[in-house]
Structure formats: C-alpha cells, structure tokens
Amino acid sequence: MAAAQVRRPGGPLMPRAPKHCGHPDCTTPVRGTSYCPSHRNKWTSTGRTASSQLHDSTEWRQARRTYMAGATRCEAQLTHRCTGQPEQCDMIRPASQGGQITPHNLQAICRPCHAVKTRRERA
Ligand SMILES: [Zn+2]
Ligand SMILES: [Zn+2]
C-alpha cells in the first residue's frame, strides 16, 4: 500500500459542475441560459416553450398572485376527483392556443382538475 490518499475530514469540496445544454442529447456547456444557441432556437419554436416562457414572466406571476388572492375554490370542476381547492392558477385558453394573461382567462383550479385539463389540451 503505497501513497495512500489522504482525505480531509468534512467531505470533499465539490467544484461547481458546469451546466450543460438542456437538450437531452447535447453536452454543450452553457452559462446563464438553459440551452446552447443551436438548441435554444429549435426549442423556442414549439408551443410548449412559449407557454413555459410565459409562466416564467413577471406579468404571469403578478396576475396569478392577484387572481389567487381572491380565489376560494376550484372553478374548473372537471372531474369527480376535484378537491374543490384553489391550488393552482390556470389559463382557461392556454398560451399555446393564443390565450392571454387577463382575469377573464384565468381560473383557480385544483391539481386533479388541472391534470385532466392538461391531458385534454394535449390530446
Ligand atoms: Zn444543445
Ligand atoms: Zn377541481
């Protein structure tokens, strides 16, 4: 047994791993962004990302907070599993279908109803 490695107590200090592009097959390191330039462009052309970008926006967060402050129950009631709780804020017409962030297009929704609605929108 030569040159045994000395380990410091307290655990190793992990160097910060570089972030990689969010595309499943891509290993391009990225900084301050989720995708490398080539994948960012492809990804943003899909409706899915348009919707997640919207849900990251300050406009959405403020509208949601304001709306949910006045919500008392699930307004969707799409399933018998509806809990009746206003757990999430939902856009009645999703952004991928041109829905806007307006009080008329928002509803409080419980998780089971939201799951049903999301499934319908994808169908
Ligand atoms: Zn990439
Ligand atoms: Zn519900």
Short mmCIF file of all heavy atoms in Angstrom, two decimals, residues 1-64:
data_model
loop_
_atom_site.label_atom_id
_atom_site.label_comp_id
_atom_site.label_asym_id
_atom_site.label_seq_id
_atom_site.Cartn_x
_atom_site.Cartn_y
_atom_site.Cartn_z
N MET A 1 0.85 -1.21 0.00
CA MET A 1 0.00 0.00 0.00
C MET A 1 0.88 1.25 0.00
O MET A 1 1.34 1.72 1.04
CB MET A 1 -0.88 -0.01 1.26
CG MET A 1 -2.18 -0.71 1.05
SD MET A 1 -3.33 0.20 0.05
CE MET A 1 -4.84 -0.56 0.56
N ALA A 2 1.19 1.76 -1.13
CA ALA A 2 2.00 2.97 -1.21
C ALA A 2 1.11 4.15 -1.51
O ALA A 2 0.05 4.02 -2.12
CB ALA A 2 3.06 2.83 -2.30
N ALA A 3 1.55 5.29 -1.07
CA ALA A 3 0.90 6.56 -1.40
C ALA A 3 -0.60 6.53 -1.17
O ALA A 3 -1.40 6.74 -2.05
CB ALA A 3 1.19 6.94 -2.85
N ALA A 4 -0.96 6.20 0.05
CA ALA A 4 -2.38 6.24 0.38
C ALA A 4 -2.88 7.68 0.29
O ALA A 4 -2.19 8.61 0.69
CB ALA A 4 -2.61 5.71 1.78
N GLN A 5 -4.05 7.80 -0.28
CA GLN A 5 -4.58 9.16 -0.44
C GLN A 5 -5.12 9.67 0.88
O GLN A 5 -5.86 8.97 1.57
CB GLN A 5 -5.69 9.16 -1.48
CG GLN A 5 -5.13 9.13 -2.89
CD GLN A 5 -6.20 9.41 -3.90
OE1 GLN A 5 -7.36 9.19 -3.61
NE2 GLN A 5 -5.81 9.87 -5.08
N VAL A 6 -4.70 10.86 1.21
CA VAL A 6 -5.18 11.48 2.44
C VAL A 6 -6.50 12.20 2.16
O VAL A 6 -6.56 13.03 1.26
CB VAL A 6 -4.15 12.46 3.00
CG1 VAL A 6 -4.67 13.11 4.28
CG2 VAL A 6 -2.83 11.74 3.25
N ARG A 7 -7.50 11.84 2.89
CA ARG A 7 -8.79 12.53 2.70
C ARG A 7 -9.01 13.49 3.84
O ARG A 7 -8.87 13.13 5.00
CB ARG A 7 -9.92 11.52 2.68
CG ARG A 7 -9.79 10.56 1.53
CD ARG A 7 -11.14 10.23 0.97
NE ARG A 7 -10.97 9.42 -0.24
CZ ARG A 7 -11.84 9.42 -1.22
NH1 ARG A 7 -12.91 10.16 -1.13
NH2 ARG A 7 -11.65 8.68 -2.28
N ARG A 8 -9.38 14.66 3.51
CA ARG A 8 -9.64 15.62 4.56
C ARG A 8 -11.00 15.33 5.18
O ARG A 8 -11.94 14.96 4.47
CB ARG A 8 -9.69 17.02 3.96
CG ARG A 8 -8.29 17.56 3.81
CD ARG A 8 -8.37 19.05 3.68
NE ARG A 8 -7.82 19.50 2.42
CZ ARG A 8 -8.01 20.72 1.96
NH1 ARG A 8 -8.76 21.56 2.62
NH2 ARG A 8 -7.48 21.10 0.83
N PRO A 9 -11.06 15.49 6.49
CA PRO A 9 -12.38 15.31 7.11
C PRO A 9 -13.32 16.43 6.70
O PRO A 9 -12.88 17.51 6.31
CB PRO A 9 -12.07 15.38 8.61
CG PRO A 9 -10.79 16.15 8.70
CD PRO A 9 -10.03 15.87 7.44
N GLY A 10 -14.60 16.14 6.76
CA GLY A 10 -15.57 17.18 6.44
C GLY A 10 -16.08 17.08 5.01
O GLY A 10 -16.88 17.88 4.59
N GLY A 11 -15.61 16.07 4.28
CA GLY A 11 -16.15 15.88 2.94
C GLY A 11 -15.41 16.72 1.92
O GLY A 11 -14.83 17.74 2.26
N PRO A 12 -15.44 16.27 0.70
CA PRO A 12 -14.74 16.99 -0.37
C PRO A 12 -15.49 18.25 -0.76
O PRO A 12 -16.71 18.31 -0.67
CB PRO A 12 -14.74 15.99 -1.52
CG PRO A 12 -15.94 15.13 -1.27
CD PRO A 12 -16.18 15.11 0.22
N LEU A 13 -14.74 19.24 -1.16
CA LEU A 13 -15.37 20.44 -1.69
C LEU A 13 -15.63 20.20 -3.17
O LEU A 13 -14.70 20.07 -3.94
CB LEU A 13 -14.44 21.64 -1.51
CG LEU A 13 -14.41 22.23 -0.10
CD1 LEU A 13 -13.35 23.32 -0.03
CD2 LEU A 13 -15.76 22.79 0.27
N MET A 14 -16.89 20.14 -3.50
CA MET A 14 -17.22 19.88 -4.90
C MET A 14 -17.00 21.14 -5.72
O MET A 14 -17.57 22.18 -5.40
CB MET A 14 -18.68 19.46 -5.03
CG MET A 14 -18.99 18.14 -4.36
SD MET A 14 -18.29 16.77 -5.29
CE MET A 14 -19.50 16.66 -6.61
N PRO A 15 -16.21 21.05 -6.76
CA PRO A 15 -16.14 22.19 -7.67
C PRO A 15 -17.47 22.30 -8.41
O PRO A 15 -18.14 21.29 -8.63
CB PRO A 15 -15.01 21.81 -8.64
CG PRO A 15 -14.94 20.33 -8.60
CD PRO A 15 -15.46 19.90 -7.24
N ARG A 16 -17.87 23.49 -8.72
CA ARG A 16 -19.16 23.65 -9.39
C ARG A 16 -19.14 23.02 -10.76
O ARG A 16 -18.34 23.39 -11.60
CB ARG A 16 -19.50 25.11 -9.52
CG ARG A 16 -20.80 25.38 -8.78
CD ARG A 16 -21.48 26.55 -9.32
NE ARG A 16 -21.79 27.44 -8.20
CZ ARG A 16 -22.33 28.62 -8.35
NH1 ARG A 16 -22.57 29.07 -9.54
NH2 ARG A 16 -22.60 29.35 -7.32
N ALA A 17 -20.00 22.04 -10.95
CA ALA A 17 -20.07 21.38 -12.25
C ALA A 17 -20.61 22.36 -13.27
O ALA A 17 -21.57 23.07 -12.98
CB ALA A 17 -20.97 20.16 -12.16
N PRO A 18 -20.01 22.40 -14.43
CA PRO A 18 -20.55 23.29 -15.46
C PRO A 18 -21.93 22.80 -15.90
O PRO A 18 -22.16 21.60 -15.99
CB PRO A 18 -19.52 23.19 -16.60
CG PRO A 18 -18.79 21.92 -16.36
CD PRO A 18 -18.87 21.63 -14.89
N LYS A 19 -22.81 23.72 -16.16
CA LYS A 19 -24.15 23.35 -16.63
C LYS A 19 -24.08 22.98 -18.09
O LYS A 19 -23.35 23.58 -18.86
CB LYS A 19 -25.10 24.53 -16.45
CG LYS A 19 -26.11 24.30 -15.35
CD LYS A 19 -27.04 25.47 -15.25
CE LYS A 19 -28.17 25.31 -16.26
NZ LYS A 19 -29.20 26.32 -16.11
N HIS A 20 -24.90 22.00 -18.42
CA HIS A 20 -24.95 21.61 -19.83
C HIS A 20 -26.26 22.03 -20.43
O HIS A 20 -27.25 22.22 -19.74
CB HIS A 20 -24.78 20.09 -19.96
CG HIS A 20 -23.38 19.65 -19.76
ND1 HIS A 20 -23.04 18.58 -18.96
CD2 HIS A 20 -22.22 20.14 -20.24
CE1 HIS A 20 -21.72 18.44 -18.97
NE2 HIS A 20 -21.20 19.37 -19.74
N CYS A 21 -26.24 22.14 -21.74
CA CYS A 21 -27.44 22.43 -22.52
C CYS A 21 -28.57 21.49 -22.09
O CYS A 21 -28.35 20.31 -21.83
CB CYS A 21 -27.11 22.23 -24.00
SG CYS A 21 -28.52 22.25 -25.08
N GLY A 22 -29.79 22.01 -22.01
CA GLY A 22 -30.93 21.23 -21.53
C GLY A 22 -31.43 20.20 -22.52
O GLY A 22 -32.27 19.37 -22.19
N HIS A 23 -30.95 20.24 -23.75
CA HIS A 23 -31.36 19.24 -24.72
C HIS A 23 -30.81 17.88 -24.29
O HIS A 23 -29.65 17.77 -23.92
CB HIS A 23 -30.84 19.61 -26.11
CG HIS A 23 -31.35 18.72 -27.20
ND1 HIS A 23 -30.80 17.48 -27.44
CD2 HIS A 23 -32.37 18.86 -28.06
CE1 HIS A 23 -31.48 16.91 -28.43
NE2 HIS A 23 -32.43 17.73 -28.82
N PRO A 24 -31.65 16.85 -24.31
CA PRO A 24 -31.24 15.55 -23.76
C PRO A 24 -29.97 14.99 -24.38
O PRO A 24 -29.21 14.32 -23.70
CB PRO A 24 -32.43 14.63 -24.08
CG PRO A 24 -33.58 15.54 -24.34
CD PRO A 24 -33.02 16.87 -24.80
N ASP A 25 -29.71 15.23 -25.66
CA ASP A 25 -28.56 14.62 -26.31
C ASP A 25 -27.36 15.55 -26.40
O ASP A 25 -26.37 15.22 -27.02
CB ASP A 25 -28.93 14.19 -27.74
CG ASP A 25 -30.05 13.18 -27.72
OD1 ASP A 25 -30.10 12.38 -26.78
OD2 ASP A 25 -30.89 13.20 -28.63
N CYS A 26 -27.45 16.72 -25.82
CA CYS A 26 -26.42 17.74 -26.04
C CYS A 26 -25.55 17.90 -24.79
O CYS A 26 -26.06 17.92 -23.68
CB CYS A 26 -27.09 19.06 -26.40
SG CYS A 26 -25.93 20.36 -26.79
N THR A 27 -24.26 17.99 -24.98
CA THR A 27 -23.35 18.17 -23.85
C THR A 27 -22.64 19.51 -23.91
O THR A 27 -21.64 19.72 -23.23
CB THR A 27 -22.31 17.04 -23.82
OG1 THR A 27 -21.66 16.99 -25.07
CG2 THR A 27 -22.96 15.70 -23.51
N THR A 28 -23.11 20.42 -24.74
CA THR A 28 -22.51 21.75 -24.83
C THR A 28 -22.69 22.48 -23.50
O THR A 28 -23.80 22.58 -23.01
CB THR A 28 -23.20 22.57 -25.93
OG1 THR A 28 -23.15 21.83 -27.14
CG2 THR A 28 -22.50 23.91 -26.12
N PRO A 29 -21.58 22.95 -22.91
CA PRO A 29 -21.74 23.70 -21.65
C PRO A 29 -22.39 25.06 -21.91
O PRO A 29 -22.13 25.68 -22.94
CB PRO A 29 -20.30 23.87 -21.16
CG PRO A 29 -19.40 23.39 -22.24
CD PRO A 29 -20.20 22.83 -23.35
N VAL A 30 -23.22 25.47 -20.99
CA VAL A 30 -23.89 26.76 -21.14
C VAL A 30 -23.72 27.57 -19.86
O VAL A 30 -23.50 27.02 -18.78
CB VAL A 30 -25.40 26.59 -21.45
CG1 VAL A 30 -25.61 25.98 -22.81
CG2 VAL A 30 -26.08 25.78 -20.38
N ARG A 31 -23.83 28.89 -20.00
CA ARG A 31 -23.73 29.77 -18.84
C ARG A 31 -24.89 30.73 -18.87
O ARG A 31 -25.13 31.41 -19.86
CB ARG A 31 -22.44 30.60 -18.93
CG ARG A 31 -21.28 29.95 -18.25
CD ARG A 31 -20.01 30.71 -18.59
NE ARG A 31 -18.92 30.27 -17.73
CZ ARG A 31 -18.67 30.81 -16.54
NH1 ARG A 31 -19.39 31.81 -16.10
NH2 ARG A 31 -17.67 30.35 -15.80
N GLY A 32 -25.61 30.80 -17.76
CA GLY A 32 -26.68 31.79 -17.64
C GLY A 32 -27.85 31.55 -18.57
O GLY A 32 -28.66 32.42 -18.80
N THR A 33 -27.94 30.35 -19.14
CA THR A 33 -29.04 30.04 -20.03
C THR A 33 -29.28 28.54 -19.95
O THR A 33 -28.45 27.80 -19.45
CB THR A 33 -28.71 30.48 -21.47
OG1 THR A 33 -29.78 30.09 -22.33
CG2 THR A 33 -27.44 29.83 -21.97
N SER A 34 -30.41 28.09 -20.45
CA SER A 34 -30.74 26.67 -20.32
C SER A 34 -30.26 25.85 -21.52
O SER A 34 -30.05 24.67 -21.39
CB SER A 34 -32.24 26.48 -20.17
OG SER A 34 -32.70 27.21 -19.07
N TYR A 35 -30.15 26.49 -22.68
CA TYR A 35 -29.81 25.75 -23.88
C TYR A 35 -28.69 26.43 -24.63
O TYR A 35 -28.53 27.64 -24.56
CB TYR A 35 -31.03 25.63 -24.80
CG TYR A 35 -32.14 24.85 -24.18
CD1 TYR A 35 -33.24 25.50 -23.64
CD2 TYR A 35 -32.09 23.46 -24.12
CE1 TYR A 35 -34.26 24.79 -23.05
CE2 TYR A 35 -33.11 22.75 -23.53
CZ TYR A 35 -34.20 23.42 -22.99
OH TYR A 35 -35.19 22.72 -22.41
N CYS A 36 -27.91 25.63 -25.34
CA CYS A 36 -26.90 26.19 -26.22
C CYS A 36 -27.62 26.90 -27.37
O CYS A 36 -28.78 26.64 -27.62
CB CYS A 36 -25.98 25.08 -26.73
SG CYS A 36 -26.76 23.99 -27.91
N PRO A 37 -26.92 27.78 -28.08
CA PRO A 37 -27.60 28.58 -29.10
C PRO A 37 -28.36 27.75 -30.13
O PRO A 37 -29.48 28.11 -30.51
CB PRO A 37 -26.46 29.35 -29.76
CG PRO A 37 -25.42 29.45 -28.69
CD PRO A 37 -25.53 28.18 -27.90
N SER A 38 -27.80 26.64 -30.57
CA SER A 38 -28.50 25.89 -31.62
C SER A 38 -29.78 25.27 -31.09
O SER A 38 -30.80 25.25 -31.77
CB SER A 38 -27.58 24.81 -32.20
OG SER A 38 -27.06 24.02 -31.17
N HIS A 39 -29.76 24.79 -29.87
CA HIS A 39 -30.98 24.17 -29.34
C HIS A 39 -31.97 25.20 -28.84
O HIS A 39 -33.17 24.96 -28.84
CB HIS A 39 -30.63 23.17 -28.23
CG HIS A 39 -30.03 21.91 -28.78
ND1 HIS A 39 -28.81 21.43 -28.38
CD2 HIS A 39 -30.48 21.08 -29.75
CE1 HIS A 39 -28.54 20.32 -29.08
NE2 HIS A 39 -29.52 20.10 -29.91
N ARG A 40 -31.46 26.33 -28.40
CA ARG A 40 -32.39 27.36 -27.92
C ARG A 40 -33.35 27.75 -29.04
O ARG A 40 -34.53 27.87 -28.84
CB ARG A 40 -31.59 28.58 -27.46
CG ARG A 40 -32.46 29.60 -26.77
CD ARG A 40 -31.63 30.51 -25.91
NE ARG A 40 -30.54 31.11 -26.68
CZ ARG A 40 -29.28 31.17 -26.27
NH1 ARG A 40 -28.93 30.66 -25.12
NH2 ARG A 40 -28.37 31.74 -27.01
N ASN A 41 -32.82 27.91 -30.24
CA ASN A 41 -33.67 28.32 -31.35
C ASN A 41 -34.69 27.26 -31.71
O ASN A 41 -35.86 27.55 -31.91
CB ASN A 41 -32.81 28.64 -32.57
CG ASN A 41 -31.97 29.88 -32.30
OD1 ASN A 41 -32.32 30.68 -31.46
ND2 ASN A 41 -30.86 30.01 -33.01
N LYS A 42 -34.25 26.01 -31.75
CA LYS A 42 -35.20 24.94 -32.10
C LYS A 42 -36.28 24.83 -31.03
O LYS A 42 -37.44 24.69 -31.33
CB LYS A 42 -34.45 23.61 -32.17
CG LYS A 42 -33.92 23.33 -33.55
CD LYS A 42 -33.25 21.97 -33.59
CE LYS A 42 -32.14 21.99 -34.64
NZ LYS A 42 -31.23 20.88 -34.50
N TRP A 43 -35.83 24.89 -29.79
CA TRP A 43 -36.77 24.68 -28.69
C TRP A 43 -37.83 25.78 -28.60
O TRP A 43 -38.96 25.54 -28.29
CB TRP A 43 -35.98 24.62 -27.38
CG TRP A 43 -35.94 23.29 -26.71
CD1 TRP A 43 -36.05 23.11 -25.36
CD2 TRP A 43 -35.78 21.99 -27.28
NE1 TRP A 43 -35.96 21.77 -25.09
CE2 TRP A 43 -35.81 21.07 -26.22
CE3 TRP A 43 -35.65 21.51 -28.57
CZ2 TRP A 43 -35.71 19.70 -26.43
CZ3 TRP A 43 -35.53 20.15 -28.77
CH2 TRP A 43 -35.55 19.27 -27.72
N THR A 44 -37.44 27.02 -28.85
CA THR A 44 -38.39 28.11 -28.68
C THR A 44 -39.43 28.14 -29.77
O THR A 44 -40.39 28.87 -29.67
CB THR A 44 -37.67 29.46 -28.62
OG1 THR A 44 -36.78 29.54 -29.72
CG2 THR A 44 -36.90 29.64 -27.34
N SER A 45 -39.25 27.35 -30.83
CA SER A 45 -40.26 27.37 -31.88
C SER A 45 -41.45 26.47 -31.53
O SER A 45 -42.41 26.41 -32.26
CB SER A 45 -39.65 26.94 -33.20
OG SER A 45 -39.18 25.62 -33.09
N THR A 46 -41.39 25.76 -30.41
CA THR A 46 -42.51 24.90 -30.04
C THR A 46 -43.44 25.63 -29.08
O THR A 46 -43.03 26.50 -28.33
CB THR A 46 -42.00 23.62 -29.34
OG1 THR A 46 -41.45 24.00 -28.08
CG2 THR A 46 -40.95 22.91 -30.16
N GLY A 47 -44.70 25.27 -29.14
CA GLY A 47 -45.68 25.90 -28.27
C GLY A 47 -45.41 25.63 -26.81
O GLY A 47 -45.69 26.46 -25.96
N ARG A 48 -44.84 24.50 -26.52
CA ARG A 48 -44.56 24.13 -25.13
C ARG A 48 -43.66 25.18 -24.47
O ARG A 48 -43.89 25.59 -23.35
CB ARG A 48 -43.87 22.77 -25.12
CG ARG A 48 -43.46 22.30 -23.76
CD ARG A 48 -44.61 21.65 -23.03
NE ARG A 48 -44.26 21.48 -21.62
CZ ARG A 48 -44.72 22.24 -20.65
NH1 ARG A 48 -45.54 23.23 -20.91
NH2 ARG A 48 -44.40 22.02 -19.40
N THR A 49 -42.65 25.61 -25.20
CA THR A 49 -41.72 26.56 -24.61
C THR A 49 -42.34 27.95 -24.55
O THR A 49 -42.10 28.69 -23.61
CB THR A 49 -40.40 26.57 -25.39
OG1 THR A 49 -39.87 25.27 -25.34
CG2 THR A 49 -39.41 27.52 -24.78
N ALA A 50 -43.16 28.29 -25.53
CA ALA A 50 -43.85 29.57 -25.47
C ALA A 50 -44.63 29.65 -24.18
O ALA A 50 -44.64 30.66 -23.48
CB ALA A 50 -44.78 29.73 -26.66
N SER A 51 -45.28 28.55 -23.84
CA SER A 51 -46.09 28.53 -22.63
C SER A 51 -45.22 28.57 -21.37
O SER A 51 -45.54 29.26 -20.42
CB SER A 51 -46.99 27.29 -22.66
OG SER A 51 -47.08 26.72 -21.40
N SER A 52 -44.09 27.85 -21.38
CA SER A 52 -43.28 27.88 -20.16
C SER A 52 -42.57 29.21 -20.01
O SER A 52 -42.32 29.65 -18.91
CB SER A 52 -42.31 26.71 -20.11
OG SER A 52 -41.59 26.60 -21.29
N GLN A 53 -42.26 29.86 -21.13
CA GLN A 53 -41.69 31.21 -21.03
C GLN A 53 -42.70 32.16 -20.42
O GLN A 53 -42.37 32.97 -19.58
CB GLN A 53 -41.29 31.72 -22.42
CG GLN A 53 -39.91 31.26 -22.84
CD GLN A 53 -39.54 31.76 -24.22
OE1 GLN A 53 -40.40 32.22 -24.96
NE2 GLN A 53 -38.29 31.68 -24.54
N LEU A 54 -43.94 32.02 -20.85
CA LEU A 54 -44.98 32.87 -20.30
C LEU A 54 -45.11 32.65 -18.81
O LEU A 54 -45.25 33.59 -18.03
CB LEU A 54 -46.30 32.55 -21.00
CG LEU A 54 -47.50 33.37 -20.55
CD1 LEU A 54 -48.37 33.69 -21.74
CD2 LEU A 54 -48.32 32.64 -19.50
N HIS A 55 -45.04 31.39 -18.38
CA HIS A 55 -45.21 31.10 -16.97
C HIS A 55 -43.99 31.51 -16.14
O HIS A 55 -44.04 31.48 -14.93
CB HIS A 55 -45.52 29.61 -16.77
CG HIS A 55 -46.94 29.29 -17.17
ND1 HIS A 55 -47.25 28.84 -18.43
CD2 HIS A 55 -48.10 29.38 -16.51
CE1 HIS A 55 -48.57 28.67 -18.50
NE2 HIS A 55 -49.10 28.98 -17.36
N ASP A 56 -42.92 31.90 -16.80
CA ASP A 56 -41.76 32.44 -16.10
C ASP A 56 -41.83 33.96 -15.99
O ASP A 56 -41.00 34.56 -15.33
CB ASP A 56 -40.47 32.09 -16.86
CG ASP A 56 -39.98 30.72 -16.47
OD1 ASP A 56 -40.42 30.23 -15.41
OD2 ASP A 56 -39.18 30.15 -17.21
N SER A 57 -42.80 34.56 -16.65
CA SER A 57 -42.78 36.02 -16.75
C SER A 57 -43.33 36.68 -15.50
O SER A 57 -44.15 36.11 -14.78
CB SER A 57 -43.60 36.46 -17.97
OG SER A 57 -44.97 36.23 -17.72
N THR A 58 -42.84 37.88 -15.25
CA THR A 58 -43.32 38.65 -14.11
C THR A 58 -44.80 38.95 -14.25
O THR A 58 -45.56 38.92 -13.28
CB THR A 58 -42.54 39.98 -14.03
OG1 THR A 58 -41.16 39.68 -14.06
CG2 THR A 58 -42.86 40.72 -12.76
N GLU A 59 -45.22 39.20 -15.48
CA GLU A 59 -46.63 39.50 -15.74
C GLU A 59 -47.51 38.35 -15.24
O GLU A 59 -48.51 38.56 -14.57
CB GLU A 59 -46.81 39.70 -17.25
CG GLU A 59 -48.21 40.16 -17.62
CD GLU A 59 -48.42 40.12 -19.14
OE1 GLU A 59 -47.56 39.56 -19.85
OE2 GLU A 59 -49.45 40.63 -19.58
N TRP A 60 -47.10 37.14 -15.58
CA TRP A 60 -47.88 35.98 -15.17
C TRP A 60 -47.87 35.83 -13.65
O TRP A 60 -48.91 35.60 -13.04
CB TRP A 60 -47.32 34.72 -15.82
CG TRP A 60 -47.83 33.46 -15.19
CD1 TRP A 60 -47.15 32.62 -14.37
CD2 TRP A 60 -49.15 32.92 -15.32
NE1 TRP A 60 -47.95 31.59 -13.98
CE2 TRP A 60 -49.19 31.74 -14.54
CE3 TRP A 60 -50.30 33.30 -15.99
CZ2 TRP A 60 -50.32 30.95 -14.44
CZ3 TRP A 60 -51.44 32.52 -15.87
CH2 TRP A 60 -51.44 31.36 -15.11
N ARG A 61 -46.72 35.98 -13.04
CA ARG A 61 -46.64 35.81 -11.58
C ARG A 61 -47.54 36.81 -10.86
O ARG A 61 -48.22 36.47 -9.90
CB ARG A 61 -45.19 35.97 -11.12
CG ARG A 61 -44.42 34.66 -11.15
CD ARG A 61 -43.11 34.79 -10.43
NE ARG A 61 -42.09 35.31 -11.31
CZ ARG A 61 -41.26 34.54 -12.02
NH1 ARG A 61 -41.34 33.24 -11.92
NH2 ARG A 61 -40.37 35.07 -12.82
N GLN A 62 -47.53 38.05 -11.34
CA GLN A 62 -48.35 39.06 -10.68
C GLN A 62 -49.84 38.79 -10.89
O GLN A 62 -50.63 38.88 -9.96
CB GLN A 62 -47.99 40.46 -11.22
CG GLN A 62 -46.67 40.93 -10.64
CD GLN A 62 -46.25 42.28 -11.21
OE1 GLN A 62 -46.84 42.76 -12.17
NE2 GLN A 62 -45.26 42.89 -10.61
N ALA A 63 -50.19 38.44 -12.12
CA ALA A 63 -51.60 38.18 -12.41
C ALA A 63 -52.09 36.99 -11.58
O ALA A 63 -53.18 37.00 -11.01
CB ALA A 63 -51.78 37.90 -13.89
N ARG A 64 -51.22 35.97 -11.49
CA ARG A 64 -51.58 34.77 -10.74
C ARG A 64 -51.78 35.10 -9.26
O ARG A 64 -52.74 34.68 -8.64
CB ARG A 64 -50.48 33.73 -10.91
CG ARG A 64 -50.74 32.44 -10.16
CD ARG A 64 -49.59 31.49 -10.31
NE ARG A 64 -48.36 32.05 -9.77
CZ ARG A 64 -47.17 31.49 -9.89
NH1 ARG A 64 -47.03 30.37 -10.55
NH2 ARG A 64 -46.12 32.05 -9.36
#
